[in-house]
Structures are given as structure tokens and as C-alpha cells.
Short mmCIF file of all heavy atoms in Angstrom, two decimals:
data_model
loop_
_atom_site.label_atom_id
_atom_site.label_comp_id
_atom_site.label_asym_id
_atom_site.label_seq_id
_atom_site.Cartn_x
_atom_site.Cartn_y
_atom_site.Cartn_z
N TYR A 1 53.84 27.97 -52.74
CA TYR A 1 54.16 29.13 -53.59
C TYR A 1 54.90 28.62 -54.82
O TYR A 1 54.71 29.20 -55.92
CB TYR A 1 54.96 30.18 -52.83
CG TYR A 1 54.19 30.71 -51.64
CD1 TYR A 1 54.68 30.51 -50.33
CD2 TYR A 1 53.03 31.43 -51.77
CE1 TYR A 1 53.95 30.98 -49.23
CE2 TYR A 1 52.28 31.92 -50.73
CZ TYR A 1 52.77 31.69 -49.42
OH TYR A 1 52.07 32.16 -48.38
N ALA A 2 55.75 27.69 -54.67
CA ALA A 2 56.41 27.05 -55.84
C ALA A 2 55.49 26.27 -56.65
O ALA A 2 55.58 26.25 -57.93
CB ALA A 2 57.61 26.17 -55.36
N GLN A 3 54.45 25.63 -56.08
CA GLN A 3 53.50 24.89 -56.83
C GLN A 3 52.71 25.76 -57.73
O GLN A 3 52.29 25.37 -58.83
CB GLN A 3 52.56 24.06 -55.88
CG GLN A 3 51.70 23.12 -56.70
CD GLN A 3 50.54 22.52 -55.91
OE1 GLN A 3 50.33 22.89 -54.77
NE2 GLN A 3 49.86 21.58 -56.51
N ARG A 4 52.44 27.00 -57.28
CA ARG A 4 51.73 27.93 -58.16
C ARG A 4 52.44 28.07 -59.54
O ARG A 4 51.79 28.07 -60.59
CB ARG A 4 51.71 29.34 -57.54
CG ARG A 4 50.92 29.51 -56.29
CD ARG A 4 51.14 30.95 -55.86
NE ARG A 4 50.44 31.30 -54.64
CZ ARG A 4 50.50 32.48 -54.04
NH1 ARG A 4 51.26 33.42 -54.60
NH2 ARG A 4 49.84 32.76 -52.96
N VAL A 5 53.76 28.17 -59.45
CA VAL A 5 54.53 28.36 -60.71
C VAL A 5 54.40 27.06 -61.58
O VAL A 5 54.25 27.12 -62.80
CB VAL A 5 56.00 28.65 -60.39
CG1 VAL A 5 56.83 28.78 -61.64
CG2 VAL A 5 56.11 29.92 -59.56
N ALA A 6 54.55 25.91 -60.93
CA ALA A 6 54.43 24.65 -61.64
C ALA A 6 53.10 24.49 -62.34
O ALA A 6 52.92 24.05 -63.43
CB ALA A 6 54.72 23.48 -60.71
N ILE A 7 52.01 24.94 -61.63
CA ILE A 7 50.68 24.86 -62.19
C ILE A 7 50.48 25.77 -63.39
O ILE A 7 50.00 25.37 -64.49
CB ILE A 7 49.58 25.19 -61.13
CG1 ILE A 7 49.54 24.10 -60.08
CG2 ILE A 7 48.25 25.36 -61.75
CD1 ILE A 7 48.63 24.43 -58.83
N VAL A 8 50.90 27.05 -63.21
CA VAL A 8 50.79 28.02 -64.29
C VAL A 8 51.58 27.56 -65.54
O VAL A 8 51.13 27.63 -66.62
CB VAL A 8 51.25 29.39 -63.81
CG1 VAL A 8 51.40 30.38 -65.00
CG2 VAL A 8 50.27 29.95 -62.80
N ARG A 9 52.76 27.05 -65.29
CA ARG A 9 53.63 26.55 -66.39
C ARG A 9 52.89 25.46 -67.22
O ARG A 9 52.94 25.45 -68.45
CB ARG A 9 54.93 26.03 -65.79
CG ARG A 9 55.88 25.35 -66.80
CD ARG A 9 57.16 25.02 -66.06
NE ARG A 9 58.05 24.10 -66.80
CZ ARG A 9 58.08 22.81 -66.70
NH1 ARG A 9 57.25 22.17 -65.86
NH2 ARG A 9 58.94 22.08 -67.45
N LYS A 10 52.20 24.53 -66.50
CA LYS A 10 51.47 23.52 -67.20
C LYS A 10 50.18 24.03 -67.84
O LYS A 10 49.85 23.62 -68.98
CB LYS A 10 51.13 22.36 -66.18
CG LYS A 10 52.30 21.38 -65.99
CD LYS A 10 51.80 20.23 -65.07
CE LYS A 10 52.90 19.18 -64.96
NZ LYS A 10 53.01 18.39 -66.18
N LEU A 11 49.43 24.88 -67.18
CA LEU A 11 48.24 25.40 -67.74
C LEU A 11 48.54 26.19 -69.04
O LEU A 11 47.74 26.17 -69.99
CB LEU A 11 47.54 26.32 -66.75
CG LEU A 11 46.81 25.66 -65.55
CD1 LEU A 11 46.32 26.72 -64.62
CD2 LEU A 11 45.68 24.75 -66.07
N LYS A 12 49.69 26.85 -69.05
CA LYS A 12 50.03 27.63 -70.25
C LYS A 12 50.74 26.77 -71.32
O LYS A 12 50.94 27.27 -72.46
CB LYS A 12 51.00 28.75 -69.81
CG LYS A 12 50.40 29.81 -68.94
CD LYS A 12 49.36 30.70 -69.70
CE LYS A 12 50.00 31.60 -70.70
NZ LYS A 12 49.07 32.57 -71.30
N GLY A 13 51.09 25.54 -71.01
CA GLY A 13 51.72 24.66 -71.94
C GLY A 13 53.14 25.08 -72.21
O GLY A 13 53.65 24.97 -73.35
N LEU A 14 53.83 25.51 -71.18
CA LEU A 14 55.22 25.98 -71.32
C LEU A 14 56.29 25.02 -70.89
O LEU A 14 57.43 25.42 -70.68
CB LEU A 14 55.36 27.30 -70.52
CG LEU A 14 54.48 28.49 -70.96
CD1 LEU A 14 54.67 29.65 -70.01
CD2 LEU A 14 54.86 28.94 -72.39
N GLU A 15 55.93 23.73 -70.75
CA GLU A 15 56.90 22.75 -70.26
C GLU A 15 58.14 22.69 -71.10
O GLU A 15 59.25 22.41 -70.58
CB GLU A 15 56.24 21.35 -70.17
CG GLU A 15 55.16 21.26 -69.12
CD GLU A 15 53.78 21.43 -69.75
OE1 GLU A 15 53.63 22.31 -70.63
OE2 GLU A 15 52.84 20.72 -69.33
N ASP A 16 58.06 22.91 -72.40
CA ASP A 16 59.21 22.84 -73.26
C ASP A 16 59.85 24.22 -73.47
O ASP A 16 60.84 24.35 -74.22
CB ASP A 16 58.85 22.25 -74.63
CG ASP A 16 58.42 20.82 -74.52
OD1 ASP A 16 58.90 20.07 -73.64
OD2 ASP A 16 57.57 20.39 -75.37
N VAL A 17 59.30 25.22 -72.86
CA VAL A 17 59.79 26.61 -73.01
C VAL A 17 60.57 27.05 -71.77
O VAL A 17 61.64 27.64 -71.90
CB VAL A 17 58.63 27.57 -73.30
CG1 VAL A 17 59.09 29.01 -73.39
CG2 VAL A 17 57.87 27.11 -74.54
N VAL A 18 60.05 26.78 -70.66
CA VAL A 18 60.68 27.10 -69.35
C VAL A 18 60.87 25.80 -68.56
O VAL A 18 59.90 25.12 -68.27
CB VAL A 18 59.85 28.05 -68.55
CG1 VAL A 18 60.47 28.37 -67.16
CG2 VAL A 18 59.58 29.34 -69.29
N THR A 19 62.12 25.43 -68.29
CA THR A 19 62.39 24.18 -67.63
C THR A 19 62.14 24.33 -66.11
O THR A 19 62.11 25.46 -65.57
CB THR A 19 63.85 23.71 -67.93
OG1 THR A 19 64.76 24.76 -67.53
CG2 THR A 19 64.04 23.38 -69.37
N LEU A 20 62.00 23.19 -65.41
CA LEU A 20 61.74 23.19 -64.00
C LEU A 20 62.38 21.99 -63.34
O LEU A 20 62.39 20.89 -63.92
CB LEU A 20 60.25 23.24 -63.77
CG LEU A 20 59.73 23.26 -62.32
CD1 LEU A 20 58.43 24.07 -62.23
CD2 LEU A 20 59.48 21.83 -61.84
N SER A 21 62.92 22.17 -62.17
CA SER A 21 63.43 21.04 -61.37
C SER A 21 63.11 21.31 -59.91
O SER A 21 62.75 22.39 -59.52
CB SER A 21 64.95 20.86 -61.57
OG SER A 21 65.66 21.98 -61.12
N TYR A 22 63.30 20.21 -59.13
CA TYR A 22 62.91 20.31 -57.72
C TYR A 22 64.12 20.14 -56.74
O TYR A 22 64.98 19.30 -57.02
CB TYR A 22 61.87 19.27 -57.39
CG TYR A 22 60.51 19.55 -58.01
CD1 TYR A 22 60.14 19.00 -59.23
CD2 TYR A 22 59.62 20.39 -57.34
CE1 TYR A 22 58.90 19.25 -59.79
CE2 TYR A 22 58.37 20.66 -57.91
CZ TYR A 22 58.07 20.13 -59.10
OH TYR A 22 56.81 20.38 -59.66
N VAL A 23 64.10 20.90 -55.70
CA VAL A 23 65.06 20.69 -54.65
C VAL A 23 64.53 19.56 -53.72
O VAL A 23 63.41 19.09 -53.89
CB VAL A 23 65.20 21.94 -53.76
CG1 VAL A 23 65.83 23.08 -54.62
CG2 VAL A 23 63.87 22.44 -53.18
N ASP A 24 65.38 19.09 -52.84
CA ASP A 24 64.97 18.05 -51.92
C ASP A 24 63.94 18.56 -50.95
O ASP A 24 63.85 19.78 -50.68
CB ASP A 24 66.24 17.55 -51.12
CG ASP A 24 65.95 16.29 -50.33
OD1 ASP A 24 65.55 15.29 -50.93
OD2 ASP A 24 66.15 16.34 -49.09
N ASP A 25 63.11 17.64 -50.41
CA ASP A 25 62.08 18.05 -49.51
C ASP A 25 62.58 18.52 -48.13
O ASP A 25 61.92 19.33 -47.51
CB ASP A 25 61.10 16.86 -49.23
CG ASP A 25 60.41 16.36 -50.51
OD1 ASP A 25 60.59 17.00 -51.57
OD2 ASP A 25 59.72 15.34 -50.42
N GLU A 26 63.71 18.00 -47.73
CA GLU A 26 64.24 18.32 -46.39
C GLU A 26 65.28 19.42 -46.48
O GLU A 26 66.03 19.48 -47.46
CB GLU A 26 64.81 17.10 -45.73
CG GLU A 26 63.81 15.98 -45.47
CD GLU A 26 64.40 14.82 -44.72
OE1 GLU A 26 65.22 15.08 -43.79
OE2 GLU A 26 64.09 13.68 -45.01
N ARG A 27 65.36 20.22 -45.46
CA ARG A 27 66.40 21.22 -45.41
C ARG A 27 66.90 21.44 -43.97
O ARG A 27 66.16 21.16 -42.99
CB ARG A 27 65.98 22.55 -46.02
CG ARG A 27 64.76 23.19 -45.35
CD ARG A 27 64.42 24.55 -45.98
NE ARG A 27 63.18 25.08 -45.46
CZ ARG A 27 62.70 26.29 -45.66
NH1 ARG A 27 63.40 27.12 -46.44
NH2 ARG A 27 61.57 26.70 -45.19
N ASP A 28 68.13 21.89 -43.87
CA ASP A 28 68.64 22.28 -42.56
C ASP A 28 69.09 23.69 -42.63
O ASP A 28 68.61 24.49 -43.44
CB ASP A 28 69.80 21.30 -42.19
CG ASP A 28 70.89 21.22 -43.30
OD1 ASP A 28 71.08 22.21 -44.01
OD2 ASP A 28 71.54 20.17 -43.42
N GLY A 29 70.01 24.14 -41.73
CA GLY A 29 70.40 25.49 -41.74
C GLY A 29 71.04 26.00 -43.02
O GLY A 29 71.15 27.23 -43.22
N ARG A 30 71.43 25.10 -43.92
CA ARG A 30 72.02 25.47 -45.21
C ARG A 30 70.97 25.85 -46.21
O ARG A 30 71.28 26.40 -47.28
CB ARG A 30 72.89 24.34 -45.74
CG ARG A 30 74.06 23.99 -44.89
CD ARG A 30 74.74 22.72 -45.40
NE ARG A 30 73.92 21.57 -45.23
CZ ARG A 30 74.21 20.29 -45.66
NH1 ARG A 30 75.38 20.17 -46.34
NH2 ARG A 30 73.42 19.28 -45.44
N GLY A 31 69.70 25.60 -45.92
CA GLY A 31 68.60 25.93 -46.81
C GLY A 31 68.33 24.75 -47.78
O GLY A 31 68.70 23.61 -47.52
N TRP A 32 67.63 25.05 -48.86
CA TRP A 32 67.23 24.03 -49.79
C TRP A 32 68.46 23.40 -50.45
O TRP A 32 69.48 24.12 -50.73
CB TRP A 32 66.31 24.58 -50.91
CG TRP A 32 65.02 25.15 -50.39
CD1 TRP A 32 64.64 26.44 -50.30
CD2 TRP A 32 63.87 24.37 -49.91
NE1 TRP A 32 63.38 26.57 -49.83
CE2 TRP A 32 62.88 25.32 -49.57
CE3 TRP A 32 63.63 23.00 -49.75
CZ2 TRP A 32 61.66 24.91 -49.06
CZ3 TRP A 32 62.42 22.61 -49.24
CH2 TRP A 32 61.43 23.59 -48.93
N ALA A 33 68.38 22.10 -50.79
CA ALA A 33 69.52 21.41 -51.37
C ALA A 33 69.05 20.46 -52.43
O ALA A 33 67.84 20.17 -52.56
CB ALA A 33 70.23 20.64 -50.25
N PHE A 34 70.01 19.95 -53.18
CA PHE A 34 69.75 19.00 -54.24
C PHE A 34 70.28 17.64 -53.79
O PHE A 34 71.47 17.51 -53.48
CB PHE A 34 70.40 19.41 -55.57
CG PHE A 34 69.91 20.73 -56.05
CD1 PHE A 34 70.56 21.86 -55.72
CD2 PHE A 34 68.78 20.80 -56.83
CE1 PHE A 34 70.10 23.14 -56.18
CE2 PHE A 34 68.29 22.04 -57.30
CZ PHE A 34 68.97 23.21 -56.97
N ARG A 35 69.37 16.63 -53.74
CA ARG A 35 69.74 15.30 -53.32
C ARG A 35 69.11 14.29 -54.26
O ARG A 35 68.26 14.62 -55.08
CB ARG A 35 69.35 15.04 -51.88
CG ARG A 35 69.98 16.03 -50.87
CD ARG A 35 69.71 15.65 -49.43
NE ARG A 35 70.37 16.57 -48.51
CZ ARG A 35 69.77 17.73 -48.06
NH1 ARG A 35 68.51 17.96 -48.35
NH2 ARG A 35 70.44 18.52 -47.26
#
């Protein structure tokens, strides 16, 4: 579901208009995290 957004952003050429970053692949009970 997150990849959909990344695809649409690139297809529309919005990389310099709307920024994007990724959380870590692994999560525990705390949810998504930045590593």
C-alpha cells in the first residue's frame, strides 16, 4: 500500500514536490521505526 504512493509519486514526476522516506523493514510491538 505504501508502494502505491511511491509509484504514483514517480509516475507524476513529483519527487521534488512531495518528499518521501522509509521506515525500517522490521517492527515489534512499538510499530514502525527509523533505523
